[in-house]
Amino acid sequence: MAFPHLQQPSFLLASLKADSINKPFAQQCQDLVKVIEDFPAKELHTIFPWLVESIFGSLDGVLIGWNLRCLQGRVNPVEYSIVMEFLDPGGPMMKLVYKLQAEDYKFDFPVSYLPGPVKASIQECILPDSPLYHNKVQFTPTGGLGLNLALNPFEYYIFFFALSLITQKPLPVSLHVRTSDCAYFILVDRYLSWFLPTEGSVPPPLSSSPGGTSPSPPPRTPAMPFASYGLHHTSLLKRHISHQTSVNADPASHEIWRSETLLQVFVEMWLHHYSLEMYQKMQSPHAKESFTPTEEHVLVVRLLLKHLHAFANSLKPEQASPSAHSHATSPLEEFKRAAVPRFVQQKLYLFLQHCFGHWPLDASFRAVLEMWLSYLQPWRYAPDKQAPGSDSQPRCVSEKWAPFVQENLLMYTKLFVGFLNRALRTDLVSPKHALMVFRVAKVFAQPNLAEMIQKGEQLFLEPELVISHRQHRLFTAPTFTGSFLSPWPPAVTDASFKVKNHVYSLEGQDCKYTPMFGPEARTLVLRLAQLITQAKHTAKSISDQCAESPAGHSFLSWLGFSSMDTNGSYQANDLDEMGQDSIRKTDEYLEKALEYLRQIFRLSEAQLRQFTLALGTTQDENGKKQLPDCIVGEDGLILTPLGRYQIINGLRRFEIEYQGDPELQPIRSYEIASLVRTLFRLSSAINRRFAGQMAALCSRDDFLGSFCRYHLTEPGLASRHLLSPVVRRQVAGHTRGPRLSLRFLGSYRTLVSLLLAFLVASLFCVGPLPCALLLTLGYVLYASAMTLLTERGKLHQP
């Protein structure tokens, strides 16, 4: 693409906008690569905001840009490869970023699209704790607060990239897209691997022209804290830091400013949607959710957590030791130590708390669960992994991870109790829910992990009187007032103080802590063990029922040759559609989960047997399952909390019978919907037209009257068991006169039977008309015999 010499930069922007409409996508990208190479930063800075928005979409979600969240290599291989090459951390787009970075351009980013707590803080004239926002808040000429942040090109690009996951509309349910195969997910992984390397150092910024110099990093403020979580909020006028033009004299700081920015932006945009105050308000059942994450969002956060564990664990043993803090280390090594505790922990905890409390009780919670379990197991991402143990003997968690467990105690204990409360409200007969319980139990049953958690709880619950000689008993989140490269504060060797500091900084000083190994949590575990036993029993019953059914049962049911369930009863779980393999998997998951829970909480076999006997799953005298636990009220049976619990988990159910007009009951799977509706309209017209004549015929005392009553009289409701007094009052006195029903002609069974009869007749050279006459004659003889038998039976009734 050849561009003439342009006097006004706006001409370049207008030309590119026109090309984005008129040219193929591949040609557009080729032109953009040439523009980035050929034009100076002075002209490129005018197209940068438009280009970023055209790639990642608008912040209001109206424009979807290149739709990276749906772009997959196996579906659109050519477009996918072009996009991945253009947006690669070493690709043309990042060259443009570095080219503009060297000229110190700033771009306005609207505050209104920042996460809720950050936006509220800035609008209240309070500078957010994260140093990401320091020196960036814009003021109006009159002294009031502006609506924008002034971001350098790299920050602006990463802000848009991270927020495109949040601001774009959720993917439609009908569009089956695997998140891990999408361009966006893979780009996140590439950026993390590039800017947070587990081996070597961060690659230097690419030069925008051959032989050119790499752009210098943005100015750093020596007095700016690297991570200042927990600082007391003060006025922006007091905390505003004037722009510094001097760069930190240490050239080693140049290598990590992009890594620091990338991590801060990802954490702020993806996790910082709930503050401690907002979380406490959300505990109210009437609270309105301010932000609801999607499953795709959670999967991307899990990718971030896994990489951060690998990034932090890539420190060499001598660098990771506490004594190494006092020695001269590179900024990257310091960053590896600080990444998780200073940036991620608090925001991730509040994010997980919200998900555990507000996520729907369905199988999609598996994404949240795996994200949580990934964070709890940093040893899985350590380079010196132990050899995996056998299937029967999981590997032991090394004692070197005890500090991590203690400094993340709430992640293990409070969230585990939250999971127990969720599990008690789910249907564990479902294989997907059973798998989630199994996964959690398996992780917490790893040898030595439960002991480390229990030790952490003991340190937190240690009485204050025992440690009265210690200083600084005000428990707040750690405050760091030096620059990132300044020496670390003295290491706190008091383990009890560190655990208390962690809990109070995340929950507040007036929090009520429920120990994971305390009596309340133990009661929940025993209830879960009871529920698991019940679910195993239910799964076994379903398995037995499936085993008794013949192999061709489903096909015959479709044809209507099996016994029809006119009442339409249905047991609400997905095992019927999953087959015997899933039933066996469910039983296996539940059996192992029960064993893991027994190991974690040292439950005795006697305790489990005692709760099993109290299930109430015995059968009554007639061999039928008991009804759910109910009490009799004025309007019928009322479920007790135990009864609701039994129904939700598929342990018991009511025998539901259809009590309405049989002609109006739902269309069955073995019926043709359009034919049933047509036959209903036809029979209704006949019944209205000949109602008097049918009533007169049925009132006769001779054989003709008996024959008509056999075909036209609606069976009475006296023999039906009406469970609700309300229904009984409604149907009392409601009688139906004789009427004709043609609905049987709309079933597959009837139609297939007639078709087979005509086929057999054709084999004997009997035409359709004679065959129809023979079938009619046969049915008249059958109906006459049934009429005589019915009348004789009535004569012998008392």
Side-chain angles (χ1 to χ4, degrees):
M1 175 181 180
F3 286 98
H5 180 71
L6 301 177
Q7 298 295 329
Q8 297 295 332
S10 59
F11 292 166
L12 175 61
L13 178 59
S15 177
L16 290 176
K17 286 183 177 181
D19 290 347
S20 67
I21 300 175
N22 301 321
K23 291 188 176 182
F25 180 76
Q27 185 63 43
Q28 294 177 41
C29 291
Q30 292 178 8
D31 293 346
L32 286 172
V33 172
K34 187 169 181 59
V35 167
I36 292 171
E37 291 288 343
D38 295 346
F39 282 80
K42 181 180 180 181
E43 297 185 9
L44 292 176
H45 91 277
T46 60
I47 71 166
F48 184 66
W50 166 82
L51 180 57
V52 170
E53 185 176 89
S54 66
I55 293 174
F56 301 122
S58 58
L59 294 173
D60 56 9
V62 175
L63 302 178
I64 63 173
W66 290 1
N67 202 13
L68 302 178
R69 294 161 57 222
C70 295
L71 183 60
Q72 300 180 81
R74 59 184 178 85
V75 179
N76 303 101
V78 175
E79 185 175 343
Y80 174 85
S81 61
I82 293 173
V83 168
M84 297 304 292
E85 182 179 354
F86 188 80
L87 299 180
D88 189 82
M93 189 63 191
M94 202 58 71
K95 289 182 180 180
L96 171 61
V97 170
Y98 295 143
K99 198 170 187 178
L100 297 176
Q101 191 79 38
E103 303 296 332
D104 200 24
Y105 284 108
K106 298 293 181 181
F107 300 91
D108 289 339
F109 186 91
V111 170
S112 58
Y113 292 106
L114 295 175
V118 177
K119 178 172 62 176
S121 178
I122 293 178
Q123 290 174 347
E124 294 173 3
C125 296
I126 299 174
L127 188 62
D129 291 336
S130 173
L132 181 65
Y133 306 104
H134 293 188
N135 293 337
K136 296 181 176 65
V137 180
Q138 297 296 295
F139 292 90
T140 61
T142 58
L145 182 66
L147 299 177
N148 297 318
L149 299 179
L151 304 179
N152 65 47
F154 185 81
E155 293 168 336
Y156 188 82
Y157 177 80
I158 298 299
F159 263 68
F160 263 85
F161 176 75
L163 273 175
S164 64
L165 178 66
I166 309 297
T167 58
Q168 296 297 309
K169 296 178 181 178
L171 300 178
V173 180
S174 59
L175 185 63
H176 300 287
V177 177
R178 187 175 178 181
T179 301
S180 59
D181 293 337
C182 297
Y184 185 87
F185 188 91
I186 298 174
L187 280 173
V188 171
D189 186 49
R190 288 190 183 182
Y191 288 164
L192 290 172
S193 300
W194 183 280
F195 295 108
L196 304 177
T198 56
E199 295 181 1
S201 59
V202 182
L206 301 174
S207 175
S208 57
S209 60
T213 58
S214 298
S216 61
R220 296 187 56 85
T221 305
M224 183 177 66
F226 174 61
S228 52
Y229 296 135
L231 287 175
H232 297 291
H233 290 162
T234 56
S235 169
L236 273 175
L237 296 178
K238 298 179 181 179
R239 291 192 54 191
H240 178 70
I241 305 173
S242 59
H243 183 70
Q244 302 290 324
T245 57
S246 61
V247 180
N248 195 310
D250 186 357
S253 65
H254 294 182
E255 70 174 85
I256 60 108
W257 72 266
R258 292 170 295 143
S259 305
E260 176 186 335
T261 299
L262 180 88
L263 179 57
Q264 288 185 82
V265 173
F266 282 180
V267 171
E268 287 292 309
M269 302 303 122
W270 295 343
L271 295 178
H272 195 187
H273 294 275
Y274 315 101
S275 61
L276 180 58
E277 296 78 10
M278 185 183 299
Y279 159 67
Q280 292 170 343
K281 292 178 182 177
M282 290 300 293
Q283 301 309 299
S284 170
H286 305 291
K288 183 179 179 181
E289 296 185 51
S290 57
F291 175 80
T292 304
T294 62
E295 187 174 353
E296 178 191 17
H297 179 183
V298 171
L299 291 173
V300 174
V301 172
R302 185 189 180 210
L303 174 65
L304 171 65
L305 297 179
K306 290 167 65 176
H307 188 87
L308 282 177
H309 276 321
F311 178 65
N313 292 334
S314 63
L315 278 171
K316 297 179 181 179
E318 62 272 12
Q319 297 170 339
S321 61
S323 59
H325 295 179
S326 58
H327 301 293
T329 55
S330 71
L332 185 60
E333 293 165 2
E334 290 284 349
F335 185 43
K336 289 181 179 181
R337 273 194 292 267
V340 173
R342 294 196 188 184
F343 281 110
V344 179
Q345 187 191 69
Q346 183 188 49
K347 294 178 174 63
L348 176 64
Y349 175 71
L350 296 177
F351 184 84
L352 284 171
Q353 277 280 38
H354 181 273
C355 290
F356 273 60
H358 297 83
W359 200 276
L361 290 172
D362 57 22
S364 66
F365 185 72
R366 175 78 186 280
V368 178
L369 189 82
E370 295 298 338
M371 175 181 66
W372 172 49
L373 296 180
S374 294
Y375 183 80
L376 297 186
Q377 303 176 86
W379 46 87
R380 291 185 57 194
Y381 312 101
D384 55 341
K385 290 183 180 178
Q386 301 178 10
S390 63
D391 294 339
S392 58
Q393 184 64 33
R395 62 189 182 193
C396 181
V397 179
S398 172
E399 195 65 30
K400 74 175 185 178
W401 297 106
F404 179 88
V405 173
Q406 294 169 7
E407 294 168 13
N408 291 272
L409 184 64
L410 289 176
M411 294 284 194
Y412 291 90
T413 59
K414 186 160 185 179
L415 292 180
F416 181 83
V417 174
F419 175 75
L420 289 179
N421 286 311
R422 284 187 62 94
L424 290 173
R425 293 180 289 155
T426 56
D427 177 13
L428 294 186
V429 183
S430 166
K432 296 177 181 179
H433 292 298
L435 175 59
M436 287 191 278
V437 174
F438 163 73
R439 289 282 298 122
V440 173
K442 182 180 180 181
V443 168
F444 278 82
Q446 294 176 85
N448 200 38
L449 179 57
E451 288 77 6
M452 288 193 290
I453 296 174
Q454 199 164 10
K455 177 63 181 302
E457 289 195 323
Q458 292 172 356
L459 290 172
F460 173 72
L461 299 173
E462 182 180 339
E464 195 69 21
L465 294 175
V466 179
I467 52 176
S468 59
H469 64 281
R470 298 170 184 145
Q471 299 178 351
H472 307 296
R473 305 316 302 171
L474 178 63
F475 299 102
T476 59
T479 299
F480 304 94
T481 56
S483 69
F484 171 64
L485 296 174
S486 63
W488 275 45
V492 180
T493 57
D494 186 342
S496 177
F497 178 82
K498 288 197 293 185
V499 174
K500 291 175 184 287
N501 191 43
H502 154 71
V503 173
Y504 292 138
S505 65
L506 295 185
E507 285 285 332
Q509 302 227 14
D510 56 348
C511 72
K512 181 182 178 182
Y513 181 75
T514 302
M516 176 177 164
F517 292 93
E520 296 181 26
R522 189 176 183 85
T523 300
L524 294 177
V525 171
L526 291 174
R527 285 181 56 194
L528 180 60
Q530 173 184 351
L531 177 59
I532 290 174
T533 307
Q534 291 174 328
K536 282 170 53 64
H537 180 272
T538 304
K540 184 178 183 302
S541 300
I542 298 176
S543 178
D544 293 341
Q545 293 174 5
C546 294
E548 293 172 359
S549 302
H553 178 74
S554 299
F555 177 73
L556 292 176
S557 297
W558 180 81
L559 293 178
F561 285 105
S562 63
S563 59
M564 293 183 295
D565 181 11
T566 57
N567 294 323
S569 60
Y570 174 73
Q571 186 165 352
N573 62 62
D574 57 358
L575 280 176
D576 298 323
E577 300 178 358
M578 300 296 289
Q580 286 285 345
D581 291 340
S582 291
I583 296 175
R584 283 192 291 269
K585 279 289 185 183
T586 298
D587 187 72
E588 179 183 346
Y589 292 147
L590 295 177
E591 183 69 31
K592 291 184 177 180
L594 193 60
E595 175 60 24
Y596 287 141
L597 290 175
R598 189 186 66 79
Q599 295 175 12
I600 298 168
F601 294 93
R602 301 179 180 88
L603 304 178
S604 65
E605 293 291 342
Q607 284 177 308
L608 296 180
R609 283 197 300 270
Q610 176 184 359
F611 279 90
T612 302
L613 293 176
L615 296 180
T617 56
T618 56
Q619 296 182 337
D620 61 12
E621 297 175 355
N622 298 325
K624 296 181 180 179
K625 293 183 179 179
Q626 295 180 352
L627 295 177
D629 192 63
C630 303
I631 59 175
V632 180
E634 180 181 353
D635 294 327
L637 300 178
I638 301 175
L639 282 173
T640 64
L642 175 60
R644 288 192 293 270
Y645 170 79
Q646 292 167 336
I647 288 180
I648 289 174
N649 294 282
L651 306 174
R652 297 186 186 179
R653 62 188 177 116
F654 287 104
E655 294 298 330
I656 301 175
E657 297 180 359
Y658 184 78
Q659 301 292 337
D661 185 351
E663 290 294 293
L664 299 177
Q665 61 183 313
I667 296 175
R668 310 296 184 184
S669 60
Y670 52 79
E671 294 178 319
I672 303 174
S674 58
L675 186 56
V676 168
R677 295 188 181 100
T678 302
L679 292 171
F680 173 74
R681 288 192 291 267
L682 176 61
S683 59
S684 298
I686 294 174
N687 291 331
R688 287 193 301 269
R689 177 67 177 81
F690 301 102
Q693 291 87 330
M694 289 190 292
L697 287 173
C698 290
S699 63
R700 296 170 58 117
D701 294 331
D702 53 9
F703 176 79
L704 181 59
S706 299
F707 189 85
C708 291
R709 284 193 295 272
Y710 176 77
H711 288 90
L712 302 178
T713 303
E714 172 67 19
L717 297 175
S719 61
R720 298 195 181 185
H721 180 57
L722 301 180
L723 298 178
S724 172
V726 176
V727 178
R728 187 180 295 114
R729 289 195 296 268
Q730 290 175 350
V731 301
H734 177 72
T735 58
R736 300 186 179 96
R739 56 180 180 166
L740 176 68
S741 175
L742 300 176
R743 180 162 179 164
F744 72 98
L745 293 174
S747 70
Y748 289 106
R749 177 174 63 178
T750 303
L751 296 178
V752 171
S753 300
L754 292 174
L755 178 61
L756 289 176
F758 281 106
L759 288 175
V760 172
S762 66
L763 296 177
F764 294 94
C765 299
V766 178
L769 184 58
C771 180
L773 292 175
L774 289 174
L775 290 175
T776 303
L777 178 60
Y779 177 77
V780 169
L781 294 176
Y782 168 80
S784 299
M786 292 300 300
T787 299
L788 293 175
L789 293 175
T790 303
E791 290 298 319
R792 181 175 298 180
K794 291 180 179 179
L795 292 175
H796 291 283
Q797 289 181 356

